[in-house]
Amino acid sequence: METFAIEGGRPLSGSLRIQGAKNAALPILAASVLAEGQFYIYDVPHLKDIKVMLEILTALGAKAKHVDGCVDLDTTSVSVPHVPDDLMSQMRSSIFLAGPLLARLGEVTISRPGGCDIGERRIDLHLSGLTALGAKIEESEGYITFRAKQLRGTNVFLSFPSVGATENIMMAAVLAKGTTRICNAAREPEIIDLQNFLNAMGARIRGAGTDTIEITGVQRLRSVSYRIIPDRIVTGTFVLAVGIAQGHIELTNTLPEQLTALIEVVRSCGVEIKTRHDIMEIKSNSRPRAYDRIITSPYPGFPTDLQAQLMVFLSQARGTSVIKETIFEGRFKHVNELARMGASIYVDLGSAIIRGVGKLTATSVEATDLRAGAALVLAGLAAEGITTVNQIHHIDRGYDRLEEQLRRLGADITRVSI
Ligand code: EPZ
């Protein structure tokens, strides 16, 4: 087992290039099965979730290599209509392989993805969307089999703007007969990246980034080379790291326009942020002010994936803040760990009331999920003494060697095998 040991109290300084976006790379790698041929996909971060996705594609018959951020992928021999159980259970979001595999092979069997640390993670919108496109779905003993000789375009209304369901339906619809319109679609930037990737392959999609996406089916698609957009959640994590540990850093390969909700909050708490082109300069040399109320919501609202990191920032602020989590019902698991570091947080009816304290105290804490784990690392940067963060495999799912990135910014953090 591995842990992070963090000696707190050191302000951050230096420059860091942001990694490619995990939540853009995963659906784009899944979409590659829609065509036969050689793909080169650049700026793919070296993460556990990416490794699992490449193992799944290999099990389906593809050939995959991942060197220095470039994925070299040959999907010519994709023919196996079954995602292996052990791999399916390692990454819940592999549900969005159903759409592209169904479109390519006419049949696919997956095991029903389990819940995860942050909530139930339902898939009803995925199933109803694929059914609307003409898929026949059978469920038995925890397996779901989708079959369709030919998918047909149709209108799909999503009762919730689910990111994964929007992506799954998009990928299934690109080879369908006719036009598909997704209403109340998710608007995340990663969906625009998926649209751009699929259109580069010869698809005809428009509207990604708005709440209505229109896909006109085509006969076939071709393999391409493509570069993944930067990771806005990793960028936001480092912005909040400066707000928590203080200091002055520069981030490159960023898209500040994708972080307006976060930038608004941290600026009003007293953090200085300057942006020019793909560069963000973040400076903080004092304890932040509290922020009245934040409600996590679908893009472009405040992202749920930055909620835990923001809570650490506000746990040190002058005054009391409230965070309401509306996306995942189980996404407050970091509260107990922060309380053990001296934070004063009260959770009631989906809201966390955070009374800012001056300093957190170092101790041993448990990462319960990806973003909660990252948040506890940030807490360790500011806590007096040595904080140990356990179960850091959660963190490796979404951050490419986080300890090396933070060390480059002057933090005292080491990965320890125990
Ligand atoms: C994506 O998950 C991201 N993962 C998540 O990032 C992110 O938190 C989430 O979108 C919200 O932005 C990837 O892109 C790989 P959803 P996804 O479908 O697609 C409910 C991270 O930390 N729902 O938008 O699973 C669901 O229960 C991860 O990088 C249904 O009810 O999110 C949840 O409450 C965590 N029925 C809400 O919608 C469905 O069929 C949001 O889920 C699907 C979802």
Side-chain angles (χ1 to χ4, degrees), residues 22-23 121-125 162-164 305 327-328 371:
K22 165 177 85 80
N23 292 348
R121 309 298 291 273
R122 296 171 58 210
I123 60 168
D124 57 311
L125 298 174
S162 154
V163 173
D305 292 349
I327 307 293
F328 291 112
R371 305 302 175 183

Side-chain angles (χ1 to χ4, degrees), residues 53 114 129 176 219 379:
M53 177 57 82
Q219 288 290 328

Side-chain angles (χ1 to χ4, degrees), residues 22-24 26-27 49 91-93 95-96 116 118-128 159-167 186 188 190 232-233 297-299 303-305 326-329 331 369-371 397-398:
K22 165 177 85 80
N23 292 348
L26 289 172
D49 274 11
M91 184 179 64
R92 218 212 76 72
S93 49
I95 175 74
F96 53 44
C116 70
I118 58 177
E120 189 196 345
R121 309 298 291 273
R122 296 171 58 210
I123 60 168
D124 57 311
L125 298 174
H126 296 253
L127 301 182
S128 55
S159 55
F160 178 84
S162 154
V163 173
T166 301
E167 292 165 341
E188 274 68 5
E190 293 75 25
R232 62 192 167 97
I233 303 303
S297 50
Y299 192 88
T304 176
D305 292 349
T326 68
I327 307 293
F328 291 112
E329 69 277 15
R331 211 166 200 178
D369 60 82
L370 165 53
R371 305 302 175 183
R397 287 189 45 219

Side-chain angles (χ1 to χ4, degrees), residues 70-113:
C70 173
V71 168
D72 167 346
L73 186 60
D74 183 342
T75 58
T76 309
S77 316
V78 167
S79 58
V80 177
H82 184 163
V83 178
D85 295 18
D86 60 320
L87 294 173
M88 190 81 200
S89 61
Q90 286 184 52
M91 184 179 64
R92 218 212 76 72
S93 49
S94 29
I95 175 74
F96 53 44
L97 274 153
L101 279 172
L102 183 60
R104 166 85 181 261
L105 302 176
E107 178 181 337
V108 56
T109 298
I110 60 169
S111 50
R112 179 173 268 275

